[in-house]
Amino acid sequence: MKTILIFVSTLDGKVTKWGNPHVKLWSSHQDQDYYKNVWNESRLIVMGSTTFNAETFNPSTHHQLIVMTRQPDTYKGLQVPNQIEFTNESPAEIFTRFNNKGYEQMLVVGGPHIATSFLKEQLIDELWLTLEPKIFGTGGNFVTDVNLDINLHLIHCEKVNEQGTLITKYTVLKNKIKL
Ligand SMILES: NC(=O)c1ccc[n+]([C@@H]2O[C@H](COP(=O)([O-])OP(=O)(O)OC[C@H]3O[C@@H](n4cnc5c(N)ncnc54)[C@H](OP(=O)(O)O)[C@@H]3O)[C@@H](O)[C@H]2O)c1
């Protein structure tokens, strides 16, 4: 199963503006359209509880949404069988469960804590990163403040508007990771 981590970031690596969780307030329309398409084509989507709580996610028969939380019981009322699930499994346990079920792709949509957990366990194959030509100074980075040493290889780069928003894709060179 191929695992893809997707983020939109500023040039200084921020995925939130000054701590405001609403990404669509600053991401370009081109990125929002791109993200919507990627989302629509993804059967299996994984996110952290903070990212889940930052937006409204409607259940859909087209997607299996996996929300990672250490307190799944508090979300019992929001669970929709085969559509929205809350789990305290580790990234490796989630990966193994859906890999064994025959899923071909898993989209990890953040946030930074979940991204870092997957990266640390070497479970990300590709990073799909949109770079918005902006600098915020403060706000969350797309990984948390831990020591990582991950090498990637650029496989796609497309300028999608006049201002210079770049949609990029990288493969993670897993044998280069040292933790
Ligand atoms: N720009 C972008 O592309 C983008 C994408 C996604 C998110 N975001 C932004 O990022 C922010 C949220 O990011 P975040 O890093 O604070 O939160 P997050 O990664 O969405 O969720 C973290 C939470 O997930 C739960 N959790 C369960 N298992 C975990 C594990 N193995 N490792 C870490 N956490 C685990 C914990 O909450 P419990 O208390 O439930 O256990 C933890 O506090 C939001 O503001 C969102 O808007 C931006």
Side-chain angles (χ1 to χ4, degrees):
M1 182 170 68
K2 180 167 153 182
T3 51
I4 297 161
L5 176 63
I6 189 166
F7 269 110
V8 55
S9 157
T10 63
L11 294 184
D12 58 335
K14 303 303 176 198
V15 296
T16 58
K17 184 178 185 181
W18 310 337
N20 184 326
H22 301 294
V23 175
K24 285 179 186 165
L25 293 177
W26 55 267
S27 61
S28 61
H29 294 300
Q30 290 80 8
D31 174 68
Q32 290 176 28
D33 291 347
Y34 164 72
Y35 184 73
K36 195 174 169 187
N37 284 340
V38 172
W39 181 284
N40 287 341
E41 287 167 10
S42 298
R43 177 78 190 89
L44 178 62
I45 300 169
V46 178
M47 67 176 66
S49 63
T50 311
T51 296
F52 177 80
N53 289 324
E55 275 190 56
T56 304
F57 296 95
N58 296 317
S60 160
T61 52
H62 298 295
H63 310 291
Q64 172 86 52
L65 193 60
I66 307 299
V67 182
M68 294 175 67
T69 172
R70 297 193 171 97
Q71 308 154 67
D73 286 350
T74 47
Y75 293 92
K76 256 183 184 162
L78 297 173
Q79 192 119 346
V80 181
N82 299 319
Q83 294 180 36
I84 302 186
E85 177 190 332
F86 299 85
T87 179
N88 60 3
E89 291 169 298
S90 69
E93 287 168 336
I94 293 172
F95 176 87
T96 302
R97 177 155 64 100
F98 287 99
N99 193 39
N100 290 344
K101 282 184 175 182
Y103 281 74
E104 291 180 356
Q105 188 170 297
M106 183 167 80
L107 186 72
V108 180
V109 298
H113 282 89
I114 293 308
T116 306
S117 295
F118 274 84
L119 286 166
K120 278 171 83 173
E121 294 194 32
Q122 302 190 27
L123 287 169
I124 297 298
D125 296 311
E126 292 187 8
L127 169 64
W128 292 5
L129 182 64
T130 299
L131 286 164
E132 297 288 3
K134 295 174 181 290
I135 295 173
F136 290 157
T138 60
N141 292 330
F142 77 77
V143 286
T144 56
D145 196 12
V146 294
N147 290 342
L148 296 169
D149 187 0
I150 301 171
N151 289 292
L152 302 99
H153 179 246
L154 181 68
I155 52 172
H156 175 89
C157 183
E158 185 184 359
K159 181 183 164 195
V160 293
N161 59 27
E162 190 54 36
Q163 196 184 339
T165 298
L166 299 178
I167 289 179
T168 70
K169 293 183 180 179
Y170 295 82
T171 51
V172 176
L173 304 176
K174 293 190 182 183
N175 56 351
K176 299 279 185 180
I177 294 179
K178 286 175 278 171
L179 294 174

mmCIF file of all heavy atoms in Angstrom, residues 25 35 54-55 59 61 94 100 132:
data_model
loop_
_atom_site.group_PDB
_atom_site.id
_atom_site.type_symbol
_atom_site.label_atom_id
_atom_site.label_comp_id
_atom_site.label_asym_id
_atom_site.label_seq_id
_atom_site.Cartn_x
_atom_site.Cartn_y
_atom_site.Cartn_z
ATOM 1 N N LEU A 25 -8.201 29.949 4.629
ATOM 2 C CA LEU A 25 -8.173 31.413 4.678
ATOM 3 C C LEU A 25 -6.962 31.977 3.936
ATOM 4 O O LEU A 25 -6.940 33.139 3.560
ATOM 5 C CB LEU A 25 -8.146 31.893 6.139
ATOM 6 C CG LEU A 25 -9.412 31.623 6.961
ATOM 7 C CD1 LEU A 25 -9.216 32.081 8.402
ATOM 8 C CD2 LEU A 25 -10.619 32.329 6.345
ATOM 9 N N TYR A 35 -6.430 19.935 -3.844
ATOM 10 C CA TYR A 35 -6.642 19.133 -2.635
ATOM 11 C C TYR A 35 -8.000 18.424 -2.694
ATOM 12 O O TYR A 35 -8.120 17.250 -2.335
ATOM 13 C CB TYR A 35 -6.559 20.037 -1.413
ATOM 14 C CG TYR A 35 -6.658 19.306 -0.094
ATOM 15 C CD1 TYR A 35 -5.590 18.534 0.376
ATOM 16 C CD2 TYR A 35 -7.806 19.366 0.685
ATOM 17 C CE1 TYR A 35 -5.678 17.852 1.573
ATOM 18 C CE2 TYR A 35 -7.902 18.688 1.890
ATOM 19 C CZ TYR A 35 -6.833 17.939 2.331
ATOM 20 O OH TYR A 35 -6.930 17.264 3.518
ATOM 21 N N ALA A 54 -10.834 20.775 13.577
ATOM 22 C CA ALA A 54 -10.675 22.118 13.004
ATOM 23 C C ALA A 54 -11.650 22.378 11.861
ATOM 24 O O ALA A 54 -11.823 23.523 11.451
ATOM 25 C CB ALA A 54 -9.233 22.299 12.508
ATOM 26 N N GLU A 55 -12.268 21.329 11.330
ATOM 27 C CA GLU A 55 -13.164 21.499 10.178
ATOM 28 C C GLU A 55 -14.381 20.599 10.321
ATOM 29 O O GLU A 55 -14.451 19.772 11.224
ATOM 30 C CB GLU A 55 -12.425 21.087 8.889
ATOM 31 C CG GLU A 55 -11.591 22.192 8.287
ATOM 32 C CD GLU A 55 -11.092 21.789 6.904
ATOM 33 O OE1 GLU A 55 -11.922 21.449 6.051
ATOM 34 O OE2 GLU A 55 -9.871 21.792 6.724
ATOM 35 N N PRO A 59 -19.659 12.447 6.631
ATOM 36 C CA PRO A 59 -19.433 11.060 6.257
ATOM 37 C C PRO A 59 -19.764 10.828 4.784
ATOM 38 O O PRO A 59 -20.638 11.498 4.230
ATOM 39 C CB PRO A 59 -20.399 10.277 7.156
ATOM 40 C CG PRO A 59 -21.155 11.257 7.947
ATOM 41 C CD PRO A 59 -20.699 12.632 7.631
ATOM 42 N N THR A 61 -19.827 7.595 1.655
ATOM 43 C CA THR A 61 -19.630 6.179 1.313
ATOM 44 C C THR A 61 -18.397 6.000 0.428
ATOM 45 O O THR A 61 -17.931 4.889 0.238
ATOM 46 C CB THR A 61 -20.857 5.616 0.586
ATOM 47 O OG1 THR A 61 -21.163 6.490 -0.518
ATOM 48 C CG2 THR A 61 -22.068 5.519 1.494
ATOM 49 N N ILE A 94 -2.350 0.919 11.985
ATOM 50 C CA ILE A 94 -3.313 1.362 10.950
ATOM 51 C C ILE A 94 -2.830 0.895 9.581
ATOM 52 O O ILE A 94 -3.596 0.351 8.786
ATOM 53 C CB ILE A 94 -3.480 2.897 10.984
ATOM 54 C CG1 ILE A 94 -4.154 3.323 12.287
ATOM 55 C CG2 ILE A 94 -4.290 3.379 9.787
ATOM 56 C CD1 ILE A 94 -4.184 4.824 12.510
ATOM 57 N N ASN A 100 -3.405 -5.166 4.900
ATOM 58 C CA ASN A 100 -3.900 -6.544 4.881
ATOM 59 C C ASN A 100 -5.272 -6.652 4.228
ATOM 60 O O ASN A 100 -5.635 -7.696 3.697
ATOM 61 C CB ASN A 100 -3.955 -7.124 6.302
ATOM 62 C CG ASN A 100 -2.570 -7.359 6.875
ATOM 63 O OD1 ASN A 100 -1.582 -7.366 6.134
ATOM 64 N ND2 ASN A 100 -2.476 -7.538 8.180
ATOM 65 N N GLU A 132 3.047 27.658 -0.921
ATOM 66 C CA GLU A 132 2.453 28.962 -1.209
ATOM 67 C C GLU A 132 3.533 30.031 -0.999
ATOM 68 O O GLU A 132 4.248 29.999 0.013
ATOM 69 C CB GLU A 132 1.271 29.239 -0.275
ATOM 70 C CG GLU A 132 0.103 28.274 -0.422
ATOM 71 C CD GLU A 132 -0.690 28.470 -1.712
ATOM 72 O OE1 GLU A 132 -0.319 29.329 -2.542
ATOM 73 O OE2 GLU A 132 -1.688 27.743 -1.896
#
